[in-house]
Amino acid sequence: MDGFADAWQMLLRLDVLLDQATAHLGAWTYAAIFLTVFVETGFVVTGILPSGTLLFAAAALAARGNLAFWPLLAGGTAAAFCGDQLNFAWGVLARRSLAGRGLPRAVKAAQLDAARRAFDKYGPMTIVLARFVPMLRSVAPLAAGLAGMPGRTFAAYNLCGKLPWTALHVCGGYFLGRIPWFAKHFTAVLLAAALFPFAIAVARTLVLRLAAKRPGR
């Protein structure tokens, strides 16, 4: 619980922390941001990291002149792409040499089952869609590797998913960062941006359950 509370407090002060990091680290701030985005999915069990919210906040600071827009857009895309490529590689490694037995305990069977169902329904497009679903993005590349998806196919869909995902967060943060009301209520809007994907996932789950309970199903 202490770890969750600390993470929540860090999220509430994300704009302040980024300002401080920029002042002390200078250009190395970009490296810290990109490393966080990379690690979020690269190591499977670090999916709790708020990479999208971090990019959003950094772009808002770019609107104030603290950071630069284009490095955030290009670097964020590259970091997210490489993170999922590493995640995919773990799945390939587990399938080839470990027969799926070497997965971290933090990877729940239910998560992998959800990813496999998504692949059954959407095919490779799951890689694109999963980036926008917090609970799925950390296991979809892993499941693709376990399922034996060709590397080139995964890389192509991976890139197609990262371009709009990064653009949404960076362009959105930069645009809103130029609005005075947003600057005054930065924390509230930042929390809304962080919780929005979870709200979409919950709403989707409820709709599917209601549809399943309809007569004749």
Short mmCIF file of all heavy atoms in Angstrom, two decimals, residues 17-64:
data_model
loop_
_atom_site.label_atom_id
_atom_site.label_comp_id
_atom_site.label_asym_id
_atom_site.label_seq_id
_atom_site.Cartn_x
_atom_site.Cartn_y
_atom_site.Cartn_z
N LEU A 17 7.73 17.63 -10.49
CA LEU A 17 8.90 16.75 -10.61
C LEU A 17 9.59 16.92 -11.96
O LEU A 17 10.83 16.94 -12.04
CB LEU A 17 8.48 15.30 -10.41
CG LEU A 17 7.98 14.92 -9.01
CD1 LEU A 17 7.45 13.49 -9.00
CD2 LEU A 17 9.09 15.08 -7.98
N LEU A 18 8.80 17.07 -13.01
CA LEU A 18 9.39 17.28 -14.33
C LEU A 18 10.09 18.62 -14.41
O LEU A 18 11.16 18.74 -15.03
CB LEU A 18 8.31 17.18 -15.40
CG LEU A 18 7.91 15.76 -15.84
CD1 LEU A 18 6.71 15.81 -16.76
CD2 LEU A 18 9.08 15.06 -16.51
N ASP A 19 9.50 19.63 -13.81
CA ASP A 19 10.15 20.95 -13.78
C ASP A 19 11.50 20.85 -13.07
O ASP A 19 12.51 21.41 -13.52
CB ASP A 19 9.26 21.97 -13.08
CG ASP A 19 8.35 22.71 -14.05
OD1 ASP A 19 8.76 22.91 -15.20
OD2 ASP A 19 7.24 23.09 -13.64
N GLN A 20 11.51 20.15 -11.93
CA GLN A 20 12.75 20.00 -11.16
C GLN A 20 13.77 19.18 -11.94
O GLN A 20 14.97 19.51 -11.94
CB GLN A 20 12.45 19.33 -9.82
CG GLN A 20 11.60 20.19 -8.88
CD GLN A 20 11.20 19.44 -7.63
OE1 GLN A 20 11.33 18.22 -7.54
NE2 GLN A 20 10.70 20.17 -6.64
N ALA A 21 13.31 18.12 -12.60
CA ALA A 21 14.23 17.29 -13.38
C ALA A 21 14.85 18.08 -14.52
O ALA A 21 16.05 17.98 -14.79
CB ALA A 21 13.48 16.08 -13.93
N THR A 22 14.03 18.92 -15.18
CA THR A 22 14.54 19.73 -16.28
C THR A 22 15.59 20.71 -15.79
O THR A 22 16.61 20.94 -16.45
CB THR A 22 13.38 20.49 -16.96
OG1 THR A 22 12.40 19.54 -17.40
CG2 THR A 22 13.87 21.27 -18.16
N ALA A 23 15.33 21.29 -14.61
CA ALA A 23 16.26 22.26 -14.06
C ALA A 23 17.59 21.62 -13.67
O ALA A 23 18.66 22.23 -13.84
CB ALA A 23 15.64 22.95 -12.84
N HIS A 24 17.55 20.40 -13.15
CA HIS A 24 18.77 19.75 -12.66
C HIS A 24 19.46 18.88 -13.71
O HIS A 24 20.69 18.79 -13.74
CB HIS A 24 18.45 18.89 -11.44
CG HIS A 24 18.14 19.68 -10.21
ND1 HIS A 24 16.87 20.13 -9.91
CD2 HIS A 24 18.92 20.12 -9.19
CE1 HIS A 24 16.89 20.80 -8.77
NE2 HIS A 24 18.12 20.80 -8.31
N LEU A 25 18.67 18.24 -14.57
CA LEU A 25 19.24 17.28 -15.52
C LEU A 25 19.43 17.85 -16.91
O LEU A 25 20.20 17.31 -17.70
CB LEU A 25 18.33 16.04 -15.60
CG LEU A 25 18.13 15.25 -14.31
CD1 LEU A 25 17.17 14.10 -14.56
CD2 LEU A 25 19.47 14.73 -13.78
N GLY A 26 18.70 18.91 -17.23
CA GLY A 26 18.81 19.49 -18.56
C GLY A 26 18.36 18.49 -19.62
O GLY A 26 17.29 17.88 -19.51
N ALA A 27 19.18 18.28 -20.64
CA ALA A 27 18.81 17.38 -21.74
C ALA A 27 18.68 15.93 -21.30
O ALA A 27 18.00 15.14 -21.98
CB ALA A 27 19.86 17.48 -22.85
N TRP A 28 19.27 15.57 -20.17
CA TRP A 28 19.15 14.20 -19.67
C TRP A 28 17.72 13.89 -19.23
O TRP A 28 17.37 12.71 -19.03
CB TRP A 28 20.11 13.96 -18.51
CG TRP A 28 21.54 13.82 -18.95
CD1 TRP A 28 22.52 14.75 -18.89
CD2 TRP A 28 22.13 12.66 -19.55
NE1 TRP A 28 23.69 14.25 -19.40
CE2 TRP A 28 23.48 12.98 -19.82
CE3 TRP A 28 21.65 11.40 -19.89
CZ2 TRP A 28 24.35 12.06 -20.40
CZ3 TRP A 28 22.52 10.48 -20.48
CH2 TRP A 28 23.84 10.82 -20.73
N THR A 29 16.89 14.92 -19.08
CA THR A 29 15.48 14.69 -18.75
C THR A 29 14.81 13.84 -19.82
O THR A 29 13.99 12.98 -19.53
CB THR A 29 14.73 16.03 -18.61
OG1 THR A 29 15.40 16.85 -17.64
CG2 THR A 29 13.29 15.81 -18.18
N TYR A 30 15.19 14.08 -21.07
CA TYR A 30 14.62 13.29 -22.17
C TYR A 30 14.96 11.81 -21.99
O TYR A 30 14.12 10.93 -22.20
CB TYR A 30 15.15 13.78 -23.52
CG TYR A 30 14.71 15.15 -23.91
CD1 TYR A 30 15.58 16.24 -23.81
CD2 TYR A 30 13.42 15.39 -24.38
CE1 TYR A 30 15.19 17.51 -24.18
CE2 TYR A 30 13.01 16.66 -24.75
CZ TYR A 30 13.90 17.72 -24.65
OH TYR A 30 13.51 18.98 -25.01
N ALA A 31 16.20 11.55 -21.60
CA ALA A 31 16.62 10.16 -21.41
C ALA A 31 15.80 9.49 -20.31
O ALA A 31 15.39 8.33 -20.46
CB ALA A 31 18.10 10.11 -21.06
N ALA A 32 15.52 10.22 -19.22
CA ALA A 32 14.72 9.67 -18.13
C ALA A 32 13.29 9.37 -18.59
O ALA A 32 12.71 8.34 -18.25
CB ALA A 32 14.71 10.64 -16.95
N ILE A 33 12.73 10.28 -19.38
CA ILE A 33 11.37 10.09 -19.90
C ILE A 33 11.31 8.88 -20.83
O ILE A 33 10.44 8.01 -20.69
CB ILE A 33 10.89 11.35 -20.63
CG1 ILE A 33 10.72 12.51 -19.64
CG2 ILE A 33 9.57 11.10 -21.36
CD1 ILE A 33 10.47 13.85 -20.30
N PHE A 34 12.25 8.82 -21.76
CA PHE A 34 12.24 7.73 -22.74
C PHE A 34 12.52 6.39 -22.08
O PHE A 34 11.97 5.36 -22.49
CB PHE A 34 13.25 8.01 -23.85
CG PHE A 34 12.98 9.29 -24.60
CD1 PHE A 34 14.03 9.99 -25.18
CD2 PHE A 34 11.69 9.80 -24.71
CE1 PHE A 34 13.80 11.17 -25.87
CE2 PHE A 34 11.45 10.99 -25.39
CZ PHE A 34 12.50 11.67 -25.98
N LEU A 35 13.36 6.37 -21.05
CA LEU A 35 13.65 5.13 -20.34
C LEU A 35 12.38 4.61 -19.64
O LEU A 35 12.11 3.41 -19.66
CB LEU A 35 14.76 5.35 -19.31
CG LEU A 35 15.17 4.11 -18.50
CD1 LEU A 35 15.73 3.03 -19.42
CD2 LEU A 35 16.21 4.49 -17.44
N THR A 36 11.61 5.52 -19.06
CA THR A 36 10.36 5.13 -18.41
C THR A 36 9.39 4.54 -19.41
O THR A 36 8.76 3.51 -19.16
CB THR A 36 9.73 6.34 -17.71
OG1 THR A 36 10.64 6.88 -16.75
CG2 THR A 36 8.43 5.95 -17.00
N VAL A 37 9.26 5.19 -20.58
CA VAL A 37 8.36 4.69 -21.62
C VAL A 37 8.82 3.31 -22.10
O VAL A 37 8.00 2.40 -22.30
CB VAL A 37 8.30 5.68 -22.80
CG1 VAL A 37 7.48 5.11 -23.95
CG2 VAL A 37 7.73 7.02 -22.35
N PHE A 38 10.11 3.14 -22.26
CA PHE A 38 10.67 1.86 -22.72
C PHE A 38 10.44 0.76 -21.70
O PHE A 38 10.00 -0.35 -22.04
CB PHE A 38 12.16 2.03 -23.00
CG PHE A 38 12.89 0.73 -23.24
CD1 PHE A 38 12.79 0.09 -24.46
CD2 PHE A 38 13.67 0.16 -22.25
CE1 PHE A 38 13.45 -1.11 -24.69
CE2 PHE A 38 14.33 -1.03 -22.46
CZ PHE A 38 14.22 -1.67 -23.69
N VAL A 39 10.73 1.05 -20.44
CA VAL A 39 10.66 0.04 -19.39
C VAL A 39 9.23 -0.41 -19.13
O VAL A 39 8.99 -1.56 -18.77
CB VAL A 39 11.32 0.57 -18.10
CG1 VAL A 39 11.01 -0.31 -16.90
CG2 VAL A 39 12.83 0.67 -18.30
N GLU A 40 8.25 0.50 -19.33
CA GLU A 40 6.86 0.17 -18.99
C GLU A 40 6.42 -1.16 -19.58
O GLU A 40 5.83 -2.00 -18.89
CB GLU A 40 5.93 1.28 -19.47
CG GLU A 40 4.49 1.04 -19.06
CD GLU A 40 3.47 1.59 -20.03
OE1 GLU A 40 3.85 1.95 -21.16
OE2 GLU A 40 2.29 1.64 -19.67
N THR A 41 6.69 -1.37 -20.85
CA THR A 41 6.30 -2.65 -21.46
C THR A 41 7.49 -3.57 -21.74
O THR A 41 7.31 -4.77 -21.90
CB THR A 41 5.55 -2.43 -22.79
OG1 THR A 41 6.38 -1.66 -23.67
CG2 THR A 41 4.24 -1.71 -22.56
N GLY A 42 8.70 -3.01 -21.75
CA GLY A 42 9.86 -3.81 -22.10
C GLY A 42 10.13 -4.96 -21.17
O GLY A 42 10.62 -6.01 -21.60
N PHE A 43 9.81 -4.78 -19.89
CA PHE A 43 10.10 -5.82 -18.91
C PHE A 43 8.84 -6.48 -18.36
O PHE A 43 8.87 -7.10 -17.31
CB PHE A 43 10.96 -5.25 -17.78
CG PHE A 43 12.33 -4.86 -18.25
CD1 PHE A 43 12.60 -3.54 -18.60
CD2 PHE A 43 13.33 -5.80 -18.40
CE1 PHE A 43 13.86 -3.17 -19.07
CE2 PHE A 43 14.58 -5.44 -18.87
CZ PHE A 43 14.85 -4.12 -19.21
N VAL A 44 7.73 -6.33 -19.07
CA VAL A 44 6.48 -7.05 -18.82
C VAL A 44 5.85 -6.69 -17.47
O VAL A 44 4.68 -6.31 -17.41
CB VAL A 44 6.66 -8.58 -18.90
CG1 VAL A 44 5.31 -9.28 -18.80
CG2 VAL A 44 7.37 -8.98 -20.19
N VAL A 45 6.61 -6.81 -16.38
CA VAL A 45 6.05 -6.65 -15.05
C VAL A 45 6.07 -5.19 -14.58
O VAL A 45 5.69 -4.91 -13.45
CB VAL A 45 6.81 -7.52 -14.03
CG1 VAL A 45 6.63 -8.98 -14.36
CG2 VAL A 45 8.29 -7.15 -13.97
N THR A 46 6.52 -4.28 -15.41
CA THR A 46 6.60 -2.87 -15.02
C THR A 46 5.49 -2.05 -15.68
O THR A 46 5.64 -0.84 -15.89
CB THR A 46 7.98 -2.29 -15.40
OG1 THR A 46 8.29 -2.67 -16.75
CG2 THR A 46 9.06 -2.79 -14.48
N GLY A 47 4.39 -2.70 -16.00
CA GLY A 47 3.30 -2.03 -16.68
C GLY A 47 2.60 -0.96 -15.87
O GLY A 47 1.80 -0.19 -16.40
N ILE A 48 2.90 -0.88 -14.57
CA ILE A 48 2.26 0.12 -13.72
C ILE A 48 2.81 1.53 -13.99
O ILE A 48 2.21 2.53 -13.62
CB ILE A 48 2.44 -0.25 -12.22
CG1 ILE A 48 1.52 0.62 -11.35
CG2 ILE A 48 3.90 -0.09 -11.81
CD1 ILE A 48 1.53 0.22 -9.90
N LEU A 49 3.96 1.61 -14.64
CA LEU A 49 4.56 2.91 -14.90
C LEU A 49 3.66 3.74 -15.82
O LEU A 49 3.16 3.25 -16.83
CB LEU A 49 5.94 2.74 -15.54
CG LEU A 49 7.02 2.12 -14.67
CD1 LEU A 49 8.29 1.87 -15.48
CD2 LEU A 49 7.33 3.02 -13.48
N PRO A 50 3.45 5.03 -15.48
CA PRO A 50 2.51 5.87 -16.25
C PRO A 50 3.17 6.53 -17.45
O PRO A 50 3.31 7.76 -17.53
CB PRO A 50 2.09 6.92 -15.21
CG PRO A 50 3.32 7.11 -14.37
CD PRO A 50 3.99 5.74 -14.29
N SER A 51 3.57 5.74 -18.44
CA SER A 51 4.33 6.30 -19.56
C SER A 51 3.52 7.29 -20.37
O SER A 51 4.03 8.35 -20.77
CB SER A 51 4.82 5.17 -20.47
OG SER A 51 3.73 4.46 -21.03
N GLY A 52 2.24 6.98 -20.63
CA GLY A 52 1.42 7.90 -21.40
C GLY A 52 1.21 9.21 -20.68
O GLY A 52 1.31 10.29 -21.28
N THR A 53 0.93 9.13 -19.39
CA THR A 53 0.73 10.34 -18.60
C THR A 53 2.02 11.16 -18.53
O THR A 53 1.98 12.39 -18.56
CB THR A 53 0.27 9.97 -17.18
OG1 THR A 53 -0.86 9.10 -17.26
CG2 THR A 53 -0.10 11.21 -16.38
N LEU A 54 3.15 10.47 -18.44
CA LEU A 54 4.43 11.16 -18.40
C LEU A 54 4.69 11.92 -19.69
O LEU A 54 5.11 13.09 -19.68
CB LEU A 54 5.54 10.15 -18.15
CG LEU A 54 6.97 10.69 -18.09
CD1 LEU A 54 7.11 11.70 -16.95
CD2 LEU A 54 7.97 9.56 -17.91
N LEU A 55 4.42 11.29 -20.84
CA LEU A 55 4.58 11.98 -22.12
C LEU A 55 3.63 13.17 -22.23
O LEU A 55 3.99 14.24 -22.74
CB LEU A 55 4.33 11.01 -23.27
CG LEU A 55 5.47 10.07 -23.65
CD1 LEU A 55 5.01 9.12 -24.75
CD2 LEU A 55 6.70 10.85 -24.10
N PHE A 56 2.41 12.99 -21.76
CA PHE A 56 1.41 14.05 -21.79
C PHE A 56 1.90 15.25 -20.98
O PHE A 56 1.84 16.40 -21.44
CB PHE A 56 0.10 13.51 -21.23
CG PHE A 56 -1.06 14.45 -21.32
CD1 PHE A 56 -1.88 14.44 -22.44
CD2 PHE A 56 -1.34 15.33 -20.30
CE1 PHE A 56 -2.96 15.31 -22.53
CE2 PHE A 56 -2.41 16.20 -20.38
CZ PHE A 56 -3.23 16.19 -21.50
N ALA A 57 2.38 14.99 -19.77
CA ALA A 57 2.87 16.06 -18.91
C ALA A 57 4.10 16.73 -19.49
O ALA A 57 4.23 17.97 -19.44
CB ALA A 57 3.18 15.50 -17.51
N ALA A 58 5.01 15.94 -20.03
CA ALA A 58 6.22 16.51 -20.62
C ALA A 58 5.88 17.40 -21.81
O ALA A 58 6.48 18.46 -22.01
CB ALA A 58 7.16 15.38 -21.06
N ALA A 59 4.88 16.99 -22.62
CA ALA A 59 4.47 17.81 -23.76
C ALA A 59 3.84 19.11 -23.30
O ALA A 59 4.00 20.16 -23.94
CB ALA A 59 3.51 17.02 -24.64
N ALA A 60 3.10 19.05 -22.19
CA ALA A 60 2.52 20.28 -21.65
C ALA A 60 3.62 21.25 -21.21
O ALA A 60 3.50 22.46 -21.40
CB ALA A 60 1.60 19.94 -20.47
N LEU A 61 4.68 20.71 -20.64
CA LEU A 61 5.82 21.55 -20.27
C LEU A 61 6.53 22.07 -21.51
O LEU A 61 7.07 23.18 -21.50
CB LEU A 61 6.79 20.76 -19.39
CG LEU A 61 6.29 20.37 -18.01
CD1 LEU A 61 7.38 19.63 -17.25
CD2 LEU A 61 5.86 21.61 -17.21
N ALA A 62 6.53 21.29 -22.58
CA ALA A 62 7.12 21.76 -23.83
C ALA A 62 6.38 22.98 -24.36
O ALA A 62 6.98 23.87 -24.97
CB ALA A 62 7.10 20.64 -24.87
N ALA A 63 5.07 23.03 -24.10
CA ALA A 63 4.29 24.19 -24.53
C ALA A 63 4.70 25.45 -23.79
O ALA A 63 4.52 26.57 -24.28
CB ALA A 63 2.80 23.92 -24.32
N ARG A 64 5.27 25.27 -22.59
CA ARG A 64 5.76 26.41 -21.81
C ARG A 64 7.21 26.76 -22.16
O ARG A 64 7.75 27.75 -21.65
CB ARG A 64 5.68 26.09 -20.31
CG ARG A 64 4.31 25.66 -19.81
CD ARG A 64 4.40 25.36 -18.33
NE ARG A 64 3.24 24.60 -17.85
CZ ARG A 64 3.13 24.13 -16.63
NH1 ARG A 64 4.11 24.34 -15.74
NH2 ARG A 64 2.06 23.45 -16.26
#
